[in-house]
Amino acid sequence: MSTPVISAREADVLALLGEHLSNAEIAARLFISVRTVESHVSSLLRKLEVPDRRALSRHAGEATRAEQARPAPALPAPLTAFVGRTRERGELAAAVTARRLVTAVGLGGVGKTRLALAVAADAAGDFADGVCFVDLVPVTDPGRVGAAVAAAMGVGEQPGRGIDDALVAALADRQALLVLDNCEQVRDGVAPFLERLLVACPGIRVLATSRARLMVPFEWVFPVPPLSRVGGGASEAAALFLERAAAVGRAPAPAERDRIAELCERLDGMALAIELAAARWSTLGLDGLAAGLGDQLRILAGGPRADGRHRSVRAVLDWSHDLLEPQDRALLRRVSAFVAPFTAEAAADVAGFAPLETAAVADGLGRLAEQSLLAVTPSDTGTRYQALETLRQYGTERLTDAGELDDVRSRHLAWCLAGAAGLQEGGGSDWRARFDAVAEDLRAALTWSAGRPEQRADACRLALSLAEPAFTRNLLGEAQQRYEQAASLTAGVDAAAALRQAAGVAGCRRLGDDMYRLHRAAAEAARRAGDAAGAARDLAAAATAAYRFSSTFAGRVPPADEVTGLLAAARELTGDDDPAVEAALALAEAAVVADAFGAVQGAPDNTAPDTVACAERAVELARRAGDPVARSAALDALSGAQSWAGESFAAAAAARARIDILTSAPSAPARTHELIDALAMAAATAVGTGELSAARRWGSRLADRPQLAEVGDHATSWLLVADALAGHTDAVLTSSVRFLDAWEQAGRQRSFSLGPAAASVAMIHGLRGDHEARATWLTITDRTGSEEDHRHGHGAVFDTMVLLHHGDADAALERVAPEPEQVWKWVCWVWLHWYTALRAEAAVLAGHPDARDRVAAARAVVAGNPVATALVDRAEALLSGDLPRLLAAASAFEAADCRYQWSRTLLLAGGEHAATGASALADLGLAPMAARSPHHWRP
């Protein structure tokens, strides 16, 4: 059986029920109304399937006990015991408790990670949201520190914002300890990331490990010293050697402890060096260890970059390396090119060249693993190997010494290119796992090759190979970054093509600014390459984006003269007849000149017929060009123009035609962006034509788009509206929680679709009689959408429904007082039919002298809309006292899946029908309607 989904507010109510508080006490504690508490209690009874309030209190107590018994947050499980460091463990734990950022600093191999893990485990209970461990070893790009933390914490990308923004929003109110391990290699990325994170997230504390301090002013540095050698054979260092030596088969005798202490002293107490030496104890003994280590320390002493401790670690690594056969030495240094765990086959591709035979690689990996120089990890795809970071860095230095660095990195690059090609060609249900397994290596190879002029072509190929699966993996921020990176590594038409792809990804992310910038950059790249047609298309696309997607610009919307300048430049570049260019120019003219999209910077004096004609021309030219994405965009312009003209059904048909066209089009970022937009427009226009079931169907498809999985406000906006108009109260209240959380995490953006969604939630609270919650959501409405749209468009519709429900017909009549022609730009798009029909009903119920004329006028406007027609039928039946016609209207509402209006109609009918209507309203969770004097129905 599935686990019931309990909202955050329901969880708060449940917890207070466990304290045996009354509804009034809970309302006061949570600053909500008693009616809202009652609603939450009813919902909890249903979801948890318990009979009464007492059972809810017991359930709350059980949940609390389960929470208290929850095990400590998961941390990487060490495979060996933690030895010693009693003083450091206590001091570091105290520092983590007192400071926001503590950096454990020490040389490689000193034991920073193990100490940090031990302290994190000790402190886990002090943080309500637990501990998160992030290993930064695989991260080669400083700009992806935030992405690595987000992946570890389960925070996904969100269209319209970067991954760092999404992470900060997700952690803003958490109380957690973040452990960042191995910060030194991406220190330039860690420092600014932490500065932003800690300012925005006051409940987050960070414990970092690094070879060097992060150099930020708020950092508290905790030097991690080598293991103590105080006490000789009873010291911490000797205890570590004894514990690890016993694990390999033979524990040292007590008489040997003093010599072990001497060995640990020569190793400067470095944990890694001690562990590597102890691993050889059973075969070499103390004499062999002392002899081998002594020679290497003397040879490698000194050097311009390293202090004594660094030389000690290097000595152990050199000694372990020199014990290998030449073929195994070559293999160890060559596999250091891999960042992520790798297979024997991959190692053969990269490392299998003279003096190492390809066939010998697998055996060599086994030998290295036996000597603890490689970790072995079983997986579904076979055994994988990985070198510890210290050994990887050591291997890289050895590659340089051997003169093999460029050769091995080039072979690794070729392996990455082949792997990326395999991802694109292989498909299959496991492609995501296969991509994740190689992604860090692809990124590392790209970082290396992008900085080498002779490798630019391969680097460009790799960037493109990374961009496509990253997009499909819903790593939209990285996909855009890689397309732009590919463009920077090439020139001409190829750069323009990559920039166009990046613009498509930016569209999916709701970054209108970036779409505009990238299309302009693509135009410049095409112009430099002599591709006048391509430049014209991109300039036209930039101009179109400025008007079509103006609501997604985070910053300044380009002024009209700037955009018209782009359109003029595109026209000047037009040469011979090119269908694609003509289609792009026609769409830009429909957007900029005719304002088919109703943009905020559009001219107010465009006539609807001219706008429709301009959009129809764009559709025809796009059809001739044969580009499905261009056809969809042109149909969007036509849909908008038809809406302005009051042709609601034609607008809905155009929106749906877009989906049919795009469904069979090749998958690409621009196509995906168009499909997301088409689904939103299909849902919106279905609301406008009263097809509520269709609106819910398109809205559900929109909410299920993976690119919108983390953006609940945009994903659920039109689904909320359709559910509210239908009277699906529970669905609205449930979805509104996701909507509000996502909107706040997204930085409280404004959008033409968010305002109606918030207003629809306010309406439901108004119909429920929860005026406090309604006031809260009306405030949210003011912040999510356009003030004019709320005043004259959707706000007028939703407010009128609430006022009529509560019997205030005069106020309802005042709310929709303007003629539709006076507020055409706000009502003619989605709200024309609703506004006109409700205006007629308000006139009837308020006894307006022109009520009959308004009913007649409304009937002509809404013809074909099942819900709006039923509203007009009901108004006329009330005006004429025609009970059969009123009941016929009720049946029409029921057939249109509009349960609220069906219930309301039965109540208006009175008599025996009123009881059924009242019961239905109660089932919907809505408040009783205001009492009305009995209507005298004519026989």
Side-chain angles (χ1 to χ4, degrees), residues 795-811:
V797 169
F798 293 133
D799 288 350
T800 299
M801 290 178 65
V802 173
L803 291 168
L804 291 176
H805 183 88
H806 292 292
D808 197 346
D810 291 333

Side-chain angles (χ1 to χ4, degrees), residues 523-549:
E524 179 61 20
R527 186 191 63 78
R528 290 179 179 176
D531 180 12
R537 289 198 309 273
D538 281 305
L539 287 173
T544 300
Y547 274 62
R548 186 183 178 197
F549 302 113

Side-chain angles (χ1 to χ4, degrees), residues 282-613:
S282 63
T283 54
L284 296 178
L286 283 175
D287 290 339
L289 287 172
L293 185 58
D295 289 341
Q296 295 299 327
L297 280 172
R298 184 174 60 254
I299 294 171
L300 296 178
R305 321 187 273 125
D307 61 18
R309 293 188 183 93
H310 195 181
R311 289 196 300 271
S312 296
V313 174
R314 185 183 301 279
V316 173
L317 295 175
D318 280 336
W319 162 73
S320 298
H321 170 269
D322 289 345
L323 289 177
L324 302 174
E325 296 295 327
Q327 291 84 354
D328 289 347
R329 295 179 195 170
L331 180 58
L332 181 63
R333 65 177 179 262
R334 292 172 184 178
V335 296
S336 68
F338 291 101
V339 178
F342 55 88
T343 63
E345 181 182 7
D349 289 341
V350 173
F353 61 96
L356 181 62
E357 296 181 4
T358 301
V361 168
D363 286 343
L365 293 173
R367 287 191 296 272
L368 293 176
E370 290 172 1
Q371 298 178 60
S372 301
L373 295 172
L374 290 179
V376 182
T377 305
S379 73
D380 293 339
T381 57
T383 301
R384 291 182 176 270
Y385 301 87
Q386 186 174 27
L388 298 176
E389 176 60 14
T390 303
L391 287 167
R392 279 192 65 242
Q393 294 180 4
Y394 178 81
T396 300
E397 293 182 3
R398 283 289 181 170
L399 281 175
T400 302
D401 295 342
E404 294 179 346
L405 182 62
D406 287 351
D407 195 5
V408 169
R409 287 291 175 88
S410 296
R411 293 172 71 94
H412 180 252
L413 173 62
W415 176 80
C416 288
L417 286 167
L423 285 174
Q424 293 173 326
E425 298 168 1
S429 59
D430 65 336
W431 76 267
R432 288 179 175 81
R434 290 188 287 114
F435 170 74
D436 292 344
V438 300
E440 290 297 345
D441 275 293
L442 302 186
R443 292 166 182 142
L446 179 55
T447 299
W448 174 78
S449 58
R452 305 181 68 82
E454 70 277 11
Q455 299 285 2
R456 286 175 66 87
D458 283 341
C460 180
R461 287 174 53 208
L462 188 54
L464 291 172
S465 297
L466 254 176
E468 183 174 338
F471 179 78
T472 309
R473 193 72 175 86
N474 296 322
L475 302 173
L476 303 189
E478 180 175 9
Q480 181 180 333
Q481 173 194 359
R482 298 309 178 192
Y483 279 125
E484 293 195 53
Q485 186 176 22
S488 72
L489 292 167
T490 187
V493 294
D494 291 336
L499 289 167
R500 291 180 196 121
Q501 296 281 59
V505 181
C508 295
R509 302 176 68 201
R510 298 186 57 81
L511 297 177
D513 316 59
D514 277 5
M515 288 189 72
Y516 183 72
R517 170 182 62 83
L518 290 164
H519 276 301
R520 294 190 67 175
E524 179 61 20
R527 186 191 63 78
R528 290 179 179 176
D531 180 12
R537 289 198 309 273
D538 281 305
L539 287 173
T544 300
Y547 274 62
R548 186 183 178 197
F549 302 113
S550 59
S551 66
T552 68
F553 277 67
R556 177 184 69 95
V557 176
D561 57 349
E562 178 179 311
V563 180
T564 54
L566 294 181
L567 183 54
R571 289 177 180 139
E572 291 176 1
L573 288 170
T574 304
D576 298 334
D577 290 344
D578 185 319
V581 175
E582 291 181 354
L585 285 172
L587 177 60
E589 288 166 354
V592 178
V593 179
D595 192 25
F597 299 105
V600 293
Q601 70 272 47
D605 54 354
N606 293 305
T607 66
D610 289 344
T611 303
V612 170

Side-chain angles (χ1 to χ4, degrees), residues 840 843-844 848-858 876 879-880:
V844 170
H848 192 280
D850 295 334
R852 193 169 297 280
D853 291 339
R854 291 191 180 185
V855 168
E876 186 167 7
L879 184 63
S880 305

